[in-house]
Structure formats: structure tokens, C-alpha cells
Amino acid sequence: MNEFSILCRVIGSLFNRQPQDPLLVPLFTLLREGKLGAQWPLEQDELLQRLQQNSDPQALAADYNALFVGPECRVPPCASHWPQGKPEAEVRAFLTARGMPLSDAPADHFGVLLLAASWLEDQSAEDESAAQFALFDSYLLPWCGTFLGKVEAHATSTFYRTLAVLSREAIQAMWDELNEAVEDDGDA
């Protein structure tokens, strides 16, 4: 798994799953023990330390639910709920066309989109850069800045406020990398 995939997988998982989800136990263990930084490809040590100091999954559950779960949530995590976002069916069609296996869960969920970027990277298809570029350009970037700003503003926990900042910086770094890759492909 390369650096791009690690960023997308970690951030996507933290947004896509309840903090007390058993599948996140290894990730929260890495966070609490301060071991995620050793594998983190970006210079975000201060943000990772803030996450580490505030990473009790049970304490985060109420904030996660208030932020992202249900019709009364403070910050809808799906693109289709944002004026700049695309309809869920369009996102699902894009991912399905690239062979990504999807569940019945919304395909336009912020976490799912990042997990999809990781999946595309790990598949190493010939057009991976183009597919990732399209995913970011059409389905993630138009609305994620507003989404992450709302998460930062409405989160009651330091963890989710910090995760929003970390995510914004990581997405920008990945976008810069994708732009370089697409430019390099165009020069070939």
C-alpha cells in the first residue's frame, strides 16, 4: 500500500465508520500508542498528536452520531446533500464502472469516496491516475471544503475538529500529487 492509499484508507475509515466499530480497533490502537505517525507520509505531527490525545472511541461516539448520523445530523456526510455535490446515483455509476464493489450504503459518503480513492490506487489499473483525478475533481473536491469546514465548526470533540483540518491538508496534498501525475501522463 503506498502513501496515497494509506492517507485515503485511514481518513476514509475514520469518517465512514462509528468510532466504536470493531473494525477501527487496530487504527485507534495505532493512534493511541502514537504509532500512526511513523507510517504517515505527510508532515502533520502536531495534528496526529492532537488526535492521539483525544482518541477514546467511546468518548467520540456521541460527537460522531450528532455530526454524521440520521436525518437531523449537523453535517451530512454525503455529496448529494450539498449544493456542489453530485447525486448518489452518479457517484455509484462512476465507481461501478471502474469495478469497485459497493454495498447498499451511500456511495457518495465522504468516507466511502476516500476509501474508493484508496481502492483505485491499490488496483493499479492503467488509468488509475485519470480515474483518481476524476474522482477528486468531480465527486470529492466540489463539496469537501465546505463539508470539512462544517465538521470543524460543529464538532464538540477535539478529535473531529482536528480530523477535519488533517483531512483538508491531506486532500490538498493528494490533489497536488494527482495533478502532477496527470500532467506527467500528458507529457508522455
Side-chain angles (χ1 to χ4, degrees):
M1 201 178 333
N2 69 22
E3 294 175 348
F4 187 101
S5 185
I6 289 169
L7 290 171
C8 291
R9 179 99 30 109
V10 169
I11 296 168
S13 294
L14 289 172
F15 275 101
N16 193 47
R17 296 190 174 278
Q18 297 270 352
Q20 68 277 22
D21 187 312
L23 292 174
L24 289 185
V25 168
L27 180 54
F28 272 105
T29 300
L30 281 175
L31 265 173
R32 272 194 310 280
E33 293 175 356
K35 295 180 180 173
L36 186 60
Q39 299 162 19
W40 200 251
L42 300 176
E43 294 293 323
Q44 295 181 301
D45 294 344
E46 183 184 321
L47 294 172
L48 290 171
Q49 189 172 22
R50 242 187 289 160
L51 287 179
Q52 177 186 357
Q53 294 165 349
N54 298 281
S55 61
D56 175 15
Q58 297 307 322
L60 298 173
D63 198 22
Y64 182 92
N65 286 325
L67 285 168
F68 309 123
V69 178
E72 301 300 316
C73 68
R74 288 189 224 131
V75 188
C78 296
S80 56
H81 289 103
W82 296 89
Q84 312 89 336
K86 301 277 193 230
E88 194 274 346
E90 184 178 331
V91 177
R92 182 173 291 279
F94 172 82
L95 296 174
T96 301
R98 277 138 194 90
M100 183 173 173
L102 295 169
S103 69
D104 291 338
D108 64 333
H109 188 288
F110 180 75
V112 171
L113 290 170
L114 288 171
L115 292 169
S118 174
W119 185 87
L120 287 168
E121 179 71 21
D122 294 344
Q123 297 312 302
S124 297
E126 219 169 273
D127 69 340
E128 86 184 42
S129 292
Q132 288 172 325
F133 185 91
L135 175 70
F136 271 66
D137 189 47
S138 296
Y139 303 108
L140 186 63
L141 291 176
W143 67 282
C144 79
T146 306
F147 167 76
L148 291 169
K150 296 277 187 194
V151 171
E152 196 175 355
H154 292 285
T156 58
S157 66
T158 301
F159 183 88
Y160 285 108
R161 284 193 306 272
T162 302
L163 182 60
V165 174
L166 179 133
S167 300
R168 186 180 301 111
E169 290 179 6
I171 287 168
Q172 184 60 54
M174 290 185 284
W175 180 238
D176 293 345
E177 184 181 314
L178 283 171
N179 275 303
E180 288 174 20
V182 168
E183 286 172 14
D184 290 347
D185 288 348
D187 294 341

